[in-house]
DNA sequence: TTAAATGCAAAAAATTTGCAGACGT
DNA sequence: ACGTCTGCAAATTTTTTGCATTTAA
């Protein structure tokens, strides 16, 4: 828990039991939806309100403390900000995993082909995970 | 219009004025949200119901006739299925454009690094478009 | 003619808001 | 003690559903 307390403090986010629960779930789970956060925390912490989850998610998004992950066919998921990475998504079971891929060349190709000032890229790879094959 | 009639027919989708309006909007607009579809069509075709738009979007998704595009910070958008492509998104004005990028190497790297059977990839490049710079 | 599509209204689901009381610093 | 956070209830917003009627083929 100490770890998450520090994490929140270092981002100037006031430490509450609700936030600790949200952050530790995100850290352990990797990617998690509002519904999953609410259901899992509620089980051990029945007074939790869904509104609190939404408010905190939104505040954390604005603080750039977490990131929203939108995947076709799935609810929005949230993850802690960490080193840049891509996502692998299993089309059978819906599991989402991080994968480090080099997206530099892609971004450079995009810069070449367009007149955009490139800031970042999002890559999602869809397939079938080992367990589902 | 003939073009869109053929397009629907060739996908075994019954041709209705509502569907023609949706499909031609998508084709001309590139990427468009449910709200935008509804508002734009409704202007010239006031009897249109939002439920009809949803039902058709969902049916077309199931038929694999259109694709859903989820972009962080934006409503879901829909586009006709066409050759594989990536998207460039302007962080200032929200505009979305197609761009053809070679995602082969990325997919192969993902296949190497994981034990997934790769099926497809989604790439979104975020930046600032020429007009907004 | 007949199955499927539409529009409406209602229902359900998802998200936001306002506010009084509780809590973290 | 102060300002912020929480939980609740209500309000919005978004999406889905059921059904009577219309429509495409």
């Amino acid at each position: 828990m100490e770890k998450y307390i520090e994490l929140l403090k270092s981002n100037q986010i006031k430490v509450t039991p609700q936030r600790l629960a949200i952050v530790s779930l995100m850290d352990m789970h990797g990617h998690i939806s509002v519904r999953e956060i609410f259901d899992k925390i509620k089980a051990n912490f029945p007074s939790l309100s869904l509104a609190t989850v939404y408010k905190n998610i939104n505040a954390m998004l604005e603080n750039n403390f977490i990131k929203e992950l939108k995947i076709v066919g799935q609810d929005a998921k949230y993850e802690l900000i960490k080193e840049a990475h891509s996502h692998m998504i299993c089309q059978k079971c819906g599991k989402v995993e991080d994968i480090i891929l080099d997206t530099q060349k892609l971004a450079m190709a995009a810069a070449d082909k367009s007149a955009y000032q490139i800031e970042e890229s999002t890559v999602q790879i869809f397939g079938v995970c080992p367990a589902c094959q």
Side-chain angles (χ1 to χ4, degrees), chain A:
Chain A
M1 277 305 103
E2 199 50 42
K3 171 183 174 187
Y4 303 119
I5 295 177
E6 291 316 319
L7 191 58
L8 288 171
K9 282 189 178 165
S10 67
N11 283 72
Q12 292 105 50
I13 298 173
K14 200 183 274 187
V15 178
T16 67
Q18 293 84 345
R19 288 175 176 171
L20 276 175
I22 292 172
V23 169
S24 59
L25 253 188
M26 273 186 197
D27 185 42
M28 293 185 298
H29 215 271
H31 325 83
I32 192 163
S33 68
V34 168
R35 202 76 229 169
E36 289 168 332
I37 291 172
F38 178 70
D39 290 344
K40 289 199 192 234
I41 301 179
K42 183 104 183 169
N44 303 309
F45 189 167
S47 74
L48 178 73
S49 155
L50 193 48
T52 298
V53 178
Y54 277 108
K55 283 171 187 167
N56 278 316
I57 296 267
N58 287 334
M60 290 176 183
L61 282 171
E62 275 162 23
N63 289 3
N64 229 44
F65 176 66
I66 64 174
K67 213 176 174 184
E68 190 176 29
L69 223 192
K70 289 188 168 186
I71 297 171
V72 165
Q74 300 193 6
D75 288 345
K77 290 190 163 50
Y78 301 88
E79 64 182 7
L80 299 179
I81 300 264
K82 48 191 167 185
E83 68 173 328
H85 61 275
S86 302
H87 293 109
M88 306 237 10
I89 300 128
C90 177
Q91 289 170 324
K92 286 260 170 66
C93 68
K95 181 173 49 185
V96 180
E97 293 182 62
D98 290 352
I99 184 174
I100 306 280
L101 294 174
D102 178 14
T103 59
Q104 266 301 307
K105 291 191 192 87
L106 213 58
M108 292 182 36
D112 280 357
K113 285 208 173 188
S114 75
Y116 275 59
Q117 254 171 40
I118 309 296
E119 297 292 342
E120 68 169 306
S121 6
T122 294
V123 173
Q124 298 179 344
I125 309 278
F126 292 86
V128 183
C129 75
C132 287
Q133 284 168 27

